[in-house]
Every structure is written in C-alpha cells, then in structure tokens.
Amino acid sequence: MALHKDKFEYMCHRHNRQNALSELPFVSELYQHSVSHDKSLTPVSQLRDLGVLVSNDLSWSPHIRAIANKARQKAAWVFSVFQTRSPVIMLTLYKSMVRSLLEYCCPLWHPSKISDIQELESVQKAFAARISGMRDFHSPYSALIP
C-alpha cells in the first residue's frame, strides 16, 4: 500500500534528549521512511492531531501558547463586534467562544508548568479587565472561572 507523503507525518519520542548518544542506533534524525522510490518521510518536531499540538519532547507548552493566542484573537473579535460591555452578556460570550477554545481536550494536555498556567490565566485576566463592572475586583478573572 502506498502512502501519500503530504498526508502523513511521523514523530519519534525520546525519553532522555540529553543522553542521545546512548540511543545512537535509534536516533530519529538518522531515519527516513520511504513512501515510494523517490519520496520519503522525515521526522517532525511537532504535529497536530485532532486539534491538539503534540511535540516530540511531550511538552504541552507549544500547544498552550497556540491556543492562548487563538483565544486572544477570538476575544479581540468579540470586543470588536459586540459594543456592549454588560457583564452578563460578556461572560456568556466569554464562556461560549473564548473559554471553549482554552478548554478543548484539556484533560489530555492539563498544564503543570507555572508558565503555562500563567499563559492561560493571562487570557482570562485580559478579558475580565475589559468588562465594565469587573475592574474593581481584587481578582478580576474570578468570575470567569467556575
């Protein structure tokens, strides 16, 4: 069976990147899988599977950065389209349009690094700061988290 090169990617996971010399026969950069006589697959460092970005070191930081940026763009769109800043309406829009992006498949990539958690919370804080009536809270994004 022939594989279509443009539709397939492969990734090799290594447990210990620091000690790659001990894994020399299995170093992923040395291997290329032949698809046909003139085409081959080379390993990639990141790939997207069902909307989740997976990296070869099994770090979720690239995925978290990507979804935080996408959520910031969606939040900017919400603020540009809807002129009201009513807390009820804006929180409904946040929960349905922005938070859904942040929470997609979160049991899989649950953040453990403090920097990743702060990246996600920064989206919530920025959204809450732009809603009228929520600027005076000690924790401006507390109403956004159930």
Side-chain angles (χ1 to χ4, degrees):
M1 178 170 100
L3 299 177
H4 193 277
K5 182 184 183 207
D6 298 332
K7 294 183 179 181
F8 286 89
E9 297 177 315
Y10 90 91
M11 177 185 300
C12 292
H13 300 283
R14 275 190 271 159
H15 176 66
N16 187 359
R17 286 192 154 279
Q18 309 302 341
N19 196 6
L21 289 177
S22 67
E23 302 172 2
L24 255 181
F26 303 106
V27 174
S28 64
E29 286 78 14
L30 298 177
Y31 289 97
Q32 291 186 350
H33 293 287
S34 177
V35 177
S36 65
H37 66 292
D38 62 340
K39 295 182 181 179
S40 62
L41 294 174
T42 56
V44 295
S45 61
Q46 296 178 352
L47 62 86
R48 183 172 300 278
D49 189 17
L50 297 175
V52 177
L53 191 63
V54 182
S55 63
N56 61 356
D57 62 352
L58 296 179
S59 166
W60 298 108
S61 295
H63 174 72
I64 290 171
R65 275 193 304 275
I67 63 168
N69 288 336
K70 192 183 295 187
R72 281 188 196 94
Q73 289 174 352
K74 184 65 80 171
W77 178 82
V78 166
F79 284 113
S80 70
V81 171
F82 297 93
Q83 292 183 0
T84 181
R85 294 300 182 259
S86 164
V88 174
I89 294 171
M90 294 309 287
L91 288 176
T92 302
L93 288 169
Y94 173 80
K95 290 175 184 177
S96 63
M97 302 187 84
V98 178
R99 193 170 77 180
S100 62
L101 293 173
L102 295 172
E103 291 181 348
Y104 177 72
C105 286
C106 63
L108 174 65
W109 55 264
H110 182 72
S112 58
K113 293 182 184 175
I114 292 178
S115 61
D116 292 342
I117 294 169
Q118 290 172 341
E119 178 84 21
L120 295 172
E121 286 184 352
S122 71
V123 176
Q124 297 173 354
K125 288 178 184 180
F127 195 95
R130 295 182 67 184
I131 299 174
S132 63
M134 294 189 70
R135 292 186 184 104
D136 300 329
F137 288 179
H138 293 302
S139 179
Y141 65 98
S142 60
L144 301 176
I145 302 172

